[in-house]
Amino acid sequence: MRVVLGAYIGYNLPDWYKWMTDRPSFFEITEDGGCNPAELAGGYLTSLGQNQLDAALKAVPPRRYRWTAPNGYGIELLQGSSKDGISYQLILREPGGRTHKLPMVVNRKQAKLSLGSLPLTIHGENFGKLDLALGMTPFGLKEVEFRITSPDGHVTVFKLKPSPCELNTDADRQAKLNLGSQADAGRWATLHLARAAKAGGGALGPALLDVLLRIRPGPGGLYRNHGVAALDVLTVALNALRQSGVDMRGLEAIQRTAAGGNGVAYAKARVDAQRWLQARLAEQIRAGRIDPLLLRNAYGINFGVPDIALAAGKAGPVRREGKSTSVGKEKVELPWRSLVLAMAPYKVRQTRDGRLFVGIAPDAMGFNEAMARLAAALHVDAPSLRWAAANLSIGGARINGVVVEARRY
């Protein structure tokens, strides 16, 4: 990293140095444009679903920070989470748009992480030294610090400060799931689930109950996740009930009592909806119409049904009217030739239980792009891909990645 940073700063040193020494000895630059709450919410839900992360890391959403100095030079910082800690990658941008990406660093518990100290020299002339560091809180980045010490000992410090970003749904409280566009419904669901989960210490269940009182079937009679993977936890369960022959009018009656969204009637409706869902799922699982493995999820939500919490292993056939049929959703056939071509940058293998292994870790920067590419190759929507972190031995090497099951309703 010192080589890359040194080359970048060194090449542009006259511009940087003049701009720095014309400033006060201490100053701050605020992040460009703040953040996108919906993007932050989506990142937070993604973190909650990464079951290899501990609770502290799940509270840190992936985020991209951007700053631009008055002289036109810019800095971006990519924040992510891995099983080893919070990951950061710094990108330096010239006024013309050319970028220089520094190696990724990982931090777990430090409040301040030094990215190195390097001499500022050009054409043999000593301009002092530069110290670069990240300041952090348990919830992510606090600041990026540049400290320049001149040859005569004068210190100039400038700090890049992120803008506050809150998971605020106040402007979206009137939005209803399945009303209006799918984008609006997805935005409301993402914000509400993330905001409620963060307020509840990362528990997604209570927020899903609010959605349960609002969600309605789409035109085809199926419940849609609107592109929100966390909402799939609920829609998979509701569609499984519907497809196993459950009369959904009981839920619809409870939903009507919750109209208005507050007060005693709403609180009672939440309890009634939870009991209805738990009882119907337990009945259908005991009757062999729903495989509990179908309802397992990375968020650990089991709707209070022990069979779901204890489900493990390979999904087997489901009994229905004395015949063996496939679980609720139709499996997607694997077009291997086109699949291998589409996923050429990644190692792809089929596991013994018929799922796909893709050699890219969930915390990798290109993970979402890889899943979108896989979905396109399978001719399904990306939200229908269900994945879990895994590793596989390929050619004698242990590769980190995910196992993926693609199904369509």
Side-chain angles (χ1 to χ4, degrees):
M1 189 199 74
R2 288 185 55 174
V3 174
V4 176
L5 182 61
Y8 174 76
I9 296 292
Y11 179 78
N12 298 288
L13 185 57
D15 293 328
W16 272 106
Y17 193 79
K18 182 178 186 305
W19 177 71
M20 287 288 295
T21 52
D22 284 346
R23 307 298 104 194
S25 60
F26 177 85
F27 60 99
E28 296 178 355
I29 300 176
T30 304
E31 184 185 2
D32 298 344
C35 76
N36 180 339
E39 182 178 307
L40 182 73
Y44 179 71
L45 293 177
T46 299
S47 292
L48 288 182
Q50 293 180 25
N51 51 18
Q52 286 193 327
L53 302 183
D54 62 29
L57 292 177
K58 287 185 177 184
V60 181
R63 188 174 167 190
R64 181 188 293 266
Y65 302 92
R66 295 181 178 89
W67 298 271
T68 302
N71 66 345
Y73 290 88
I75 295 174
E76 296 184 13
L77 189 72
L78 307 179
Q79 172 182 286
S81 297
S82 72
K83 58 184 178 61
D84 299 316
I86 305 174
S87 63
Y88 294 99
Q89 185 165 62
L90 200 66
I91 300 172
L92 305 172
R93 187 182 67 248
E94 297 179 14
R98 184 182 177 188
T99 60
H100 306 264
K101 185 180 292 186
L102 278 64
M104 184 182 298
V105 295
V106 177
N107 175 66
R108 179 173 284 274
K109 295 181 178 179
Q110 291 175 273
K112 189 170 184 177
L113 180 64
S114 174
L115 298 185
S117 176
L118 54 97
L120 294 180
T121 58
I122 188 169
H123 302 307
E125 184 178 353
N126 178 20
F127 284 84
K129 69 169 184 172
L130 168 69
D131 294 281
L132 178 60
L134 302 178
M136 288 150 297
T137 73
F139 304 103
L141 183 73
K142 178 183 177 182
E143 62 191 19
V144 180
E145 179 183 285
F146 285 76
R147 178 183 296 266
I148 289 184
T149 305
S150 69
D152 60 4
H154 177 74
V155 176
T156 300
V157 177
F158 77 96
K159 295 184 177 182
L160 309 178
K161 292 285 190 178
S163 297
C165 195
E166 298 296 332
L167 300 175
N168 190 350
T169 58
D170 289 345
D172 301 275
R173 290 189 184 278
Q174 300 306 311
K176 299 292 188 292
L177 284 172
N178 293 83
L179 296 179
S181 71
Q182 178 164 320
D184 289 340
R187 180 169 173 265
W188 180 88
T190 302
L191 283 166
H192 180 74
L193 290 175
R195 182 174 183 266
K198 190 168 185 178
L204 194 64
L208 286 174
L209 285 180
D210 290 327
V211 177
L212 181 60
L213 290 178
R214 295 175 181 264
I215 196 167
R216 303 290 189 274
L222 295 176
Y223 295 89
R224 301 173 294 171
N225 70 8
H226 302 293
V228 184
L231 189 54
D232 204 35
V233 176
L234 180 61
T235 57
V236 167
L238 291 174
N239 284 321
L241 288 177
R242 177 186 173 278
Q243 292 167 355
S244 65
V246 169
D247 186 348
M248 307 299 284
R249 287 178 295 183
L251 174 61
E252 293 165 3
I254 296 171
Q255 290 173 330
R256 286 193 292 272
T257 68
N262 52 41
V264 176
Y266 184 81
K268 182 178 183 302
R270 287 178 96 251
V271 174
D272 291 344
Q274 182 178 19
R275 289 174 177 170
W276 181 91
L277 182 61
Q278 179 180 350
R280 299 294 86 74
L281 287 173
E283 289 170 359
Q284 298 305 304
I285 289 172
R286 284 196 302 268
R289 299 189 184 98
I290 295 178
D291 189 329
L293 190 61
L294 174 70
L295 304 181
R296 287 190 62 194
N297 56 82
Y299 300 93
I301 295 172
N302 56 48
F303 305 106
V305 181
D307 296 83
I308 300 173
L310 299 174
K314 181 181 176 181
V318 174
R319 301 187 308 276
R320 183 178 296 160
E321 299 176 359
K323 300 178 181 179
S324 292
T325 65
S326 60
V327 176
K329 294 185 290 182
E330 173 194 354
K331 285 188 178 179
V332 174
E333 294 298 324
L334 300 179
W336 270 107
R337 182 175 178 80
S338 60
L339 181 65
V340 171
L341 288 173
M343 301 300 291
Y346 313 99
K347 295 184 182 299
V348 180
R349 298 289 188 276
Q350 189 165 19
T351 62
R352 292 177 181 177
D353 60 4
R355 292 181 295 174
L356 283 175
F357 174 83
V358 181
I360 180 169
D363 57 327
M365 291 298 176
F367 179 74
N368 290 336
E369 178 187 348
M371 291 299 100
R373 182 181 295 201
L374 178 62
L378 296 174
H379 305 292
V380 299
D381 293 332
S384 13
L385 294 179
R386 301 178 65 201
W387 58 264
N391 57 68
L392 190 69
S393 181
I394 301 177
R398 207 72 181 169
I399 306 296
N400 290 326
V402 292
V403 287
V404 181
E405 184 175 13
R407 293 176 178 266
R408 63 164 66 92
Y409 293 127

